[in-house]
Amino acid sequence: MSAEIPASREVPKKENRFKVWRQTRPFWAGLFTMIGGVPIAYLPYGDMRLGNVTLAMQTTAGAGALIIGVLLITLGLTMWFQPIVRVFAGVATIVLALVSIPVSNFGGLIIGYLFAVIGGGMSAAWAPAPPAEETEEAEAEADAEHDGRPEASDEAAPALDPETEAMVAAVFPEQREGAQPLTDTTIDAKGGRNSAG
């Protein structure tokens, strides 16, 4: 490779690198999961002060709440840096959020639970976009097919007689005047088989 060959066009500009990175992984799912893990881990150990009153939210299952919160934060980072395991991380996030309801003060006062469940659902449902080259090729093929022949609705539409605006009879099969309706004896004559149409 010589110095005269220009750099690849795939390298994004500096201001677009974060945008490209964010769009190639379940970014918002990981963010919601990490936000959900913070109140679940913090509330069993934290104290809230309202004026002169100290509110202690400590529970006997504080270690379990801390473990769940740390695991949720870890799963959020996993969604960001290993998007290939996004479905596993999403399902594990939802399970941990459900476990946090009895373990960690109703799932971090429901706030952490809601963030974690939404993040887990988004992660399990996220799918990468197809590469830009494939979508451009598919659009070009669809345009070429559309330009080359008439639409299917035009082909299937019956012809109208311009004078009477009635459908031309050639579209519909002729009814035979001498045809007899089927009876029980004709059905038996065909060996008991029914024909549709």
Side-chain angles (χ1 to χ4, degrees):
M1 182 178 220
S2 70
E4 296 177 356
I5 297 174
S8 173
R9 294 181 188 177
E10 300 298 320
V11 177
K13 297 177 184 175
K14 287 184 180 180
E15 61 269 5
N16 291 334
R17 284 185 183 171
F18 177 70
K19 183 178 178 182
V20 170
W21 180 83
R22 183 176 49 99
Q23 291 175 348
T24 58
R25 59 203 70 244
F27 175 78
W28 294 108
L31 184 65
F32 283 178
T33 301
M34 287 187 283
I35 290 173
V38 170
I40 290 174
Y42 174 74
L43 286 178
Y45 292 102
D47 293 338
M48 294 171 56
R49 294 193 178 155
L50 302 171
N52 292 332
V53 178
T54 302
L55 209 67
M57 303 288 289
Q58 298 173 352
T59 62
T60 56
L66 181 65
I67 291 170
I68 290 173
V70 168
L71 283 175
L72 285 174
I73 293 170
T74 305
L75 285 170
L77 291 171
T78 301
M79 292 173 198
W80 278 3
F81 297 107
Q82 294 294 328
I84 194 82
V85 294
R86 66 190 178 275
V87 175
F88 167 76
V91 171
T93 298
I94 293 171
V95 169
L96 286 173
L98 291 171
V99 169
S100 75
I101 291 175
V103 172
S104 175
N105 295 331
F106 296 110
L109 297 179
I110 305 296
I111 296 168
Y113 165 76
L114 289 176
F115 273 108
V117 166
I118 290 170
M122 288 173 69
S123 176
W126 184 85
E133 297 146 1
E134 290 180 12
T135 55
E136 290 174 2
E137 289 173 5
E139 289 176 3
E141 289 176 8
D143 289 341
E145 289 177 5
H146 180 69
D147 292 340
R149 54 176 208 228
E151 292 183 18
S153 61
D154 291 343
E155 293 174 359
L160 295 177
D161 188 14
E163 295 175 4
T164 61
E165 294 183 15
M167 290 188 195
V168 179
V171 174
F172 298 103
E174 269 186 43
Q175 297 292 326
R176 291 186 229 155
E177 293 179 18
Q180 297 177 0
L182 293 178
T183 62
D184 292 334
T185 57
T186 56
I187 292 174
D188 291 336
K190 292 183 180 181
R193 295 189 203 115
N194 295 330
S195 62

